[in-house]
Amino acid sequence: MTETITNAIAVRDTGPGALVAQHRGDIELVMPSHLQKRVGAWIRTTQGLLRRDDKLMKAAQNDVGQFMSVLLDAARLGLEPGTEQYYLVPRWNKQKRCTEVTGVRGYQGEIELMYRAGAVSSVIVEVVYDNDRFEYRPGRDERPLHEIDWDAEDRGELRLVYAYAVMKDGATSKVVVLNKGHIAKARAKSDSAGKDWSPWNTDTEAMWLKTGAHRLTKWVPTSAEYIREQLRAHADVAAEQQAPAQIAPLPQPINTSNDEDEAIDAEFVDEEA
């Protein structure tokens, strides 16, 4: 049934919409296994985005190869295109002298990848406005203190963004704190930041959150490979501990302490995006 509906939509579409349906197998092939059952809905959502956004459709038509490359990147990451997980943005290409579709990973996408790696129990990414109370001293505070007056009609202008993760063993990752200067440097690296349709202008707070979340990925695992590495490490340890009975060493006291269980020192991150 899903296949029939997808094909029917593809027939009504021309160009990029039909191409997405034609490459269903390629999209499904690169998707994480837990999303492959939803590939039909993923394709229909993408086709719907094209029908609703004329600028996006035009950019996709200008270079369908670039458009499919962006979609395959979103599929490989297991993120939903056209959402705050993964923006689809028309971008002006000076060499081609036309707009083309580019992919921009959103803050929800960054957070999703951290959770998917399996090492964190929670991820906190928040913006701080001028009228908020914010305190954080590296070396003294494990986590920031952020108080918001929810009754205030105006919290002021964006001031800071911070991000940290609580690991599954209870440890706190390094705390990332970025000010307006850091955000300005990250924004300057975006070719489309000066355009009206850029998420830097249409969803400014989300881009601050995205920049903070992206910086946190330097300190927190974001790949399923992390899980595989942990499993291999445990398997190697178990193999080393299994020795022939005739040469087995005398039992030793089990040391249950683990240095990695200690909280990681938090620090203010002052570096370019």
Side-chain angles (χ1 to χ4, degrees):
M1 182 65 178
T2 300
E3 184 75 25
T4 302
I5 295 175
T6 302
N7 290 337
I9 293 174
V11 169
R12 294 198 302 268
D13 287 334
T14 59
L19 189 66
V20 175
Q22 292 169 12
H23 285 269
R24 175 184 177 127
D26 296 327
I27 293 171
E28 187 173 5
L29 184 64
V30 300
M31 271 185 169
S33 58
H34 71 283
L35 288 178
Q36 289 176 352
K37 293 182 179 179
R38 297 184 58 249
V39 64
W42 193 96
I43 289 173
R44 291 193 297 275
T45 298
T46 304
Q47 291 173 327
L49 292 170
L50 292 170
R51 290 194 296 272
R52 292 192 301 270
D53 191 330
D54 292 338
K55 291 181 179 179
L56 183 64
M57 173 65 85
K58 178 62 176 176
Q61 289 173 336
N62 289 337
D63 192 334
V64 292
Q66 166 68 13
F67 175 60
M68 285 305 306
S69 177
V70 168
L71 288 187
L72 288 173
D73 180 60
R76 177 182 60 82
L77 294 171
L79 302 179
E80 293 284 347
T83 69
E84 289 184 338
Q85 287 191 351
Y86 195 95
Y87 293 99
L88 296 180
V89 181
R91 181 186 64 178
W92 179 258
N93 187 311
K94 295 180 181 179
Q95 295 180 342
K96 299 177 184 176
R97 300 188 62 81
C98 67
T99 57
E100 63 181 13
V101 178
T102 186
V104 179
R105 196 184 305 175
Y107 80 96
Q108 290 185 359
E110 301 280 8
I111 293 173
E112 170 67 17
L113 294 177
M114 293 184 214
Y115 278 118
R116 199 179 299 162
V120 304
S121 60
S122 63
V123 178
I124 293 83
V125 185
E126 295 287 349
V127 290
V128 180
Y129 286 84
D130 284 336
N131 296 334
D132 297 350
R133 180 190 174 195
F134 181 82
E135 293 182 5
Y136 173 63
R137 184 180 301 173
R140 183 198 69 175
D141 304 326
E142 181 182 14
R143 302 171 187 175
L145 170 66
H146 184 197
E147 295 181 354
I148 301 171
D149 181 1
W150 296 108
D151 290 325
E153 295 183 3
D154 184 6
R155 290 171 60 190
E157 296 184 359
L158 284 166
R159 174 189 165 203
L160 302 168
V161 61
Y162 65 93
Y164 65 91
V166 179
M167 314 306 286
K168 287 206 171 166
D169 61 4
T172 301
S173 73
K174 290 185 179 181
V175 177
V176 172
V177 182
L178 305 177
N179 58 28
K180 291 181 179 179
H182 298 115
I183 298 300
K185 290 179 181 179
R187 190 179 189 276
K189 293 182 178 180
S190 171
D191 295 335
S192 64
K195 305 298 182 181
D196 293 339
W197 38 259
S198 170
W200 279 106
N201 299 311
T202 61
D203 204 350
T204 304
E205 180 178 302
M207 291 306 291
W208 277 58
L209 291 167
K210 185 261 181 178
T211 305
H214 182 69
R215 190 66 60 84
L216 181 61
T217 61
K218 296 183 179 181
W219 311 106
V220 178
T222 59
S223 171
E225 180 62 24
Y226 171 82
I227 301 174
R228 291 192 289 270
E229 290 176 356
Q230 295 299 308
L231 292 174
R232 283 197 295 267
H234 288 304
D236 290 342
V237 170
E240 291 176 358
Q241 291 177 345
Q242 291 178 356
Q246 63 272 23
I247 59 173
L250 294 174
Q252 298 294 324
I254 297 176
N255 183 3
T256 58
S257 65
N258 188 337
D259 292 339
E260 293 181 355
D261 289 339
E262 299 299 325
I264 304 171
D265 290 337
E267 65 179 25
F268 186 94
V269 178
D270 187 6
E271 58 185 16
E272 295 185 2

